[in-house]
Amino acid sequence: MDDTLIDDDALSLSRKSRLPGAGFFYPDSLDEEYADRRAREAIEGSEVVVVADGDADGLGCVALLREVYDAALDVAPFEESLAARVDRAPADDADEDEDEDREASPVGLVTASPHSLDAALERVAEYADPGVDVYVCDLCPDDEDVIEVVEQVVARAETVRWFDHHQWDESVATAVREAGVDLVVGESDEECTADVALRELDYDFPDHLVDLAAVTRDHDLWIKADPRSDDLADYSHWASAEEYVTVVGQYGPALPGPVVDYLDQRRVEKENLIEAAVDRADLKSVGPWTVGVTYGRCSQNEVAEALRERGADAAVIVKPAGSASIRGSEGFERAHEVAALVNGGGHPRAAGCKPDIYDDMLDYAHHWTTEGNATKQVILAAFERVASEAE
């Protein structure tokens, strides 16, 4: 395939908004090979291994742990890279290959999602040195299928601690604890996982990291009282995991000048993509709720906020890659129930899913050309079911 067909810089904003990023078109086999190599490099020889969600909350936990183990990387090379990126056209993703040439921290980082948690833990069990300390942060298993590999990690490690704030199935939580894991789950509507880590780690953290946890909570729980939380959310999305962990570990939420310049540059396109998604949104009446539904590659939280201002109790943002974000409000706190009906989960006001309706590339082609129509209908049907049960 001609590389220019998936080159974001060659696409108009309208087309870019409707199509997934270049990484979508890479075969899973290549992604798995790359993920395995990166994980092995991070795990082998490390004194501590952290498996964390790659968002601001999960990576914030890694910054706290590297402080505890005196394992933070030098921030200067990352700041130099940031200044260089501001001087050139922004790419869709951070260039993580640059991280491979830098020093490695003795606290190794493996990023994962709920769907890739099993694979990440399998790599820890295979590549970690015996007697390593293992932490799992900001990840909740979907079911008890994860227990077998958790037991393998426990057998390999000296200690396994798990910090989270999502809503766990009681049987899964019990099984994880019985496997030998020190599991602490915070209240999902009161604290983020960085709060849990800050509380549970026996360490006198400096003020800037205490502040980091507070601002991360402001973003992760969608409180929106601190403007710095948007900076953390955007930076964690656009930077590589190692860069984000290193910079916020050094500065907390008071991001330095090179980061601010970088964010300002990237936000020009971000705002245009948000506007495109909001412009194509429709408001639907489902039971007692008004649901805003839209499609596009965009920042879902800002789009959801715009739809709430237009009267939506809940927002559904369908992405070109086939997944969808569901956001609630004070008038709708059942986003996780809707997501659970369409192969997903999350929090009462913030959840995600990917309906199992894509059998081949023709299905994706239909998805792109109809702006996610089939996915929208499946999710709206889930809203109808939740509304019916609520009655």
Side-chain angles (χ1 to χ4, degrees), residues 21-36:
F24 173 87
F25 297 96
Y26 298 151
D28 287 347
S29 57
L30 292 181
D31 283 343
E32 282 298 308
E33 181 181 338
Y34 179 73
D36 187 75

Side-chain angles (χ1 to χ4, degrees), residues 194-211:
D195 287 318
V196 177
L198 190 79
R199 166 164 49 84
E200 293 298 320
L201 293 168
D202 186 16
Y203 187 83
D204 185 15
F205 285 98
D207 290 343
H208 73 282
L209 291 180
V210 175
D211 203 20

Side-chain angles (χ1 to χ4, degrees), residues 100-168:
E100 298 179 4
D101 299 327
R102 297 194 174 102
E103 64 175 317
S105 170
V107 175
L109 166 60
V110 179
T111 57
S113 68
H115 295 296
S116 64
L117 176 58
D118 288 21
L121 292 176
E122 287 171 0
R123 290 173 179 132
V124 174
E126 181 176 0
Y127 299 135
D129 292 345
V132 71
D133 291 330
V134 175
Y135 294 83
V136 183
C137 298
D138 200 36
L139 291 163
C140 176
D142 293 329
D143 51 46
E144 292 187 40
D145 290 345
V146 74
I147 300 305
E148 182 177 352
V149 69
V150 168
E151 292 173 342
Q152 294 171 13
V153 172
V154 170
R156 188 81 169 175
E158 177 69 22
T159 61
V160 180
R161 303 186 71 183
W162 196 318
F163 303 143
D164 193 31
H165 75 131
H166 295 92
Q167 295 188 334
W168 282 59

Side-chain angles (χ1 to χ4, degrees), residues 303-318:
V303 172
E305 181 65 24
L307 296 182
R308 279 194 286 267
E309 291 175 356
R310 289 170 54 174
D313 300 301
V316 176
I317 302 95
V318 176

